[in-house]
Amino acid sequence: MTRLAIFDCDGTLVDSQHNICTAVEEAFATNALAVPPRNAIRRIVGLSLVEAMRMLLPDSDGALHERIAKDYKDAFFRLRSTGAMAEEPLYDGITDLLSRLSAARWMLGVATGKSDRGLAHILSHHGIAGHFITLQTADRHPSKPHPAMIEAAMREAGATPGTTAMIGDTSFDMEMARAGGVRAIGVSWGYHATTDLVEAGAHHIVDDTGALATILEQL
């Protein structure tokens, strides 16, 4: 039996909110738009960029959403290339959790609104890339909560919905899990309130990686 645990990245594996918020703020300023408050920006973390901009600017047209998404990418790359990017730390216990699951023969994957390049940088920087056998990003899939990332991850791992769990910090992750027919596990340390996760269909909410490991071991 193949057991597959799929992790979101931002807000679940790493705390990247400062850099994401800064890049959004720069992209909006570049277009002479009022900068959204950071609590609004945190609400869109996890979505693909164009979809995120659509949520922040629901009354604007698609061309503007596309332009701001590009400006976001440019701002993010500039932050990284100039050394101005803040540290994006792993959350407490993530390294030990991944090692524990790998030792227990879990297949591990990532499903994220990041690009391939952005995800590869994060995983390599923290030395955890080797734990994951399937990586699904916004470069190749529709935005969450569409289940395409989960479906592709299951195909690559040889897993079924009954042996797969999606772990994330946003309502988009929980909705995607439900749409893909897999177990939805919400983490409380990320960017959406636990009430949002429950309303979006989370089967479980966990407050730390120890509790997450315990739930996974029971599946």
Side-chain angles (χ1 to χ4, degrees), residues 16-32:
S16 50
Q17 63 175 301
H18 177 80
N19 294 324
I20 291 171
C21 289
T22 300
V24 169
E25 290 163 354
E26 288 195 16
F28 270 66
T30 296
N31 289 276

Side-chain angles (χ1 to χ4, degrees), residues 136-164:
Q136 308 301 326
T137 75
D139 285 344
R140 288 167 282 113
H141 296 288
S143 179
K144 297 175 183 179
H146 193 285
M149 293 188 196
I150 286 177
E151 293 166 352
M154 289 191 294
R155 285 195 301 272
E156 291 186 7
T160 64
T163 60
T164 299

Side-chain angles (χ1 to χ4, degrees), residues 40-120:
I41 297 173
R42 285 190 289 269
R43 292 287 303 167
I44 57 85
V45 174
L47 294 174
S48 299
L49 282 177
V50 174
E51 183 62 29
M53 300 313 163
R54 186 177 296 119
M55 182 172 286
L56 288 172
L57 293 169
D59 297 326
S60 299
D61 62 26
L64 181 60
H65 299 148
E66 294 275 358
R67 185 164 72 248
I68 299 175
K70 179 183 181 302
D71 290 338
Y72 171 93
K73 290 181 181 179
D74 292 344
F76 204 91
F77 179 76
R78 184 167 59 254
L79 287 170
R80 178 165 289 155
S81 62
T82 61
M85 184 166 282
E87 177 65 19
E88 296 179 312
L90 290 173
Y91 286 102
D92 290 345
I94 290 296
T95 300
D96 289 343
L97 172 67
L98 298 178
S99 296
R100 179 175 174 178
L101 293 176
S102 294
R105 299 185 179 276
W106 277 82
M107 300 291 103
L108 304 181
V110 177
T112 177
K114 281 186 173 302
S115 66
D116 287 332
R117 182 175 65 179
L119 177 60

